[in-house]
Amino acid sequence: MMRRPLTTLALVATCGLPALGAVIVVTGASARSISSRASRADAAAMRTWRLSLSPGPGELALAEIRFRAGGRQSLSWRSLQTAASGPFGDDYLATAALRVAGPQGPTALVLLVNRPSPLLDPETVHLRVTARLSLGAPIVRRLADPFTRPAADHAPALCDLRRHGAALTGSQLSAIGARGTPLVGFSSAASAVAQAYDVVCGLPYASSFKQAVEQAAPAPVSPAPSEPVTPTSPAPSPVPPIGKFPGEGCRPTAGRACPEAGRSASRASTRDGVQPAATGAH
């Protein structure tokens, strides 16, 4: 009689082990799911700060934003955005990132062109920069007015892309965003940013880029106002001229007969059976 309770207890213990294991497995999956959602939330978390650029009229300003803790992450519009807050005028804003992150981390370049304009353009443009927290704290460097105040013998601090005298090209950058009318001849944001970097860092650049920066923004073309159509009266029928010879549209007048009209009258009388009178007949 003692064996039956022991057997029952053994069965219960045996049946309970799979259930306990199942609970452990489910709990582990839930932990991994929560951890995964937390990682995605951390990756999507953003930080925002302000960046001010003040190029003179017909000049440009360039800023470098570097994330040394970002590792080999690539920058795109999902991970980095720049937007002007406040008046903007005819300025041109372009942001591009290096396609391949260097050993110093992901890097983006921000270009602002202050076009000559009759508008009351602001002296300083305030930008709102937003980046993922996973990129780490940003390091920002900037320089303005390279045409007016060329760099000295030493390269500016932001010229640290190790170009070794080679110009930066648009194909090495990935455009992130732009605002304003593109520069003439440099419609791509990446090409405009690359040219600006070359100017700032004393590298070879296209002479047409300087002209594009100094050129005023094209005025918007407004459609010409439609003019009301005034109805006109039909033109009078032309009056046949009065000639002196056959074929000139001769019209008999007092003291002058038209030869063609005379012959027409003779032919009409003959058809009616009336012979014209001879000359001198009474």
Side-chain angles (χ1 to χ4, degrees), residues 95-282:
T95 305
L98 289 177
R99 289 186 179 274
V100 180
Q104 296 181 346
T107 302
L109 297 170
V110 182
L111 166 66
L112 178 68
V113 176
N114 184 359
R115 284 191 174 105
S117 170
L119 300 178
L120 297 177
D121 292 341
E123 295 183 0
T124 301
V125 174
H126 301 283
L127 304 178
R128 186 178 64 257
V129 186
T130 304
R132 280 183 180 170
L133 281 174
S134 60
L135 293 169
I139 299 174
V140 181
R141 301 184 178 97
R142 51 194 163 185
L143 188 144
D145 304 339
F147 296 121
T148 307
R149 296 175 292 183
D153 295 337
H154 62 280
L158 63 79
C159 300
D160 56 356
L161 298 185
R162 301 177 183 178
R163 303 301 304 161
H164 304 293
L168 183 65
T169 62
S171 60
Q172 297 170 312
L173 297 174
S174 177
I176 293 179
R179 176 179 173 180
T181 305
L183 301 179
V184 176
F186 301 91
S187 58
S188 167
S191 63
V193 171
Q195 288 288 313
Y197 181 87
D198 295 338
V199 171
V200 167
C201 299
L203 299 172
Y205 67 91
S207 58
S208 58
F209 179 72
K210 183 175 185 293
Q211 299 173 1
V213 171
E214 296 174 343
Q215 184 178 358
V221 180
S222 57
S226 57
E227 298 180 356
V229 179
T230 304
T232 57
S233 56
S237 301
V239 179
I242 299 176
K244 298 181 179 180
F245 302 98
E248 291 187 350
C250 178
R251 194 164 53 193
T253 57
R256 187 183 68 178
C258 294
E260 189 67 27
R263 285 195 292 271
S264 299
S266 299
R267 287 195 294 270
S269 301
T270 303
R271 286 196 304 270
D272 295 339
V274 179
Q275 295 294 332
T279 304
H282 298 282

Side-chain angles (χ1 to χ4, degrees), residues 2 67 213:
M2 294 295 295
F67 303 92
V213 171

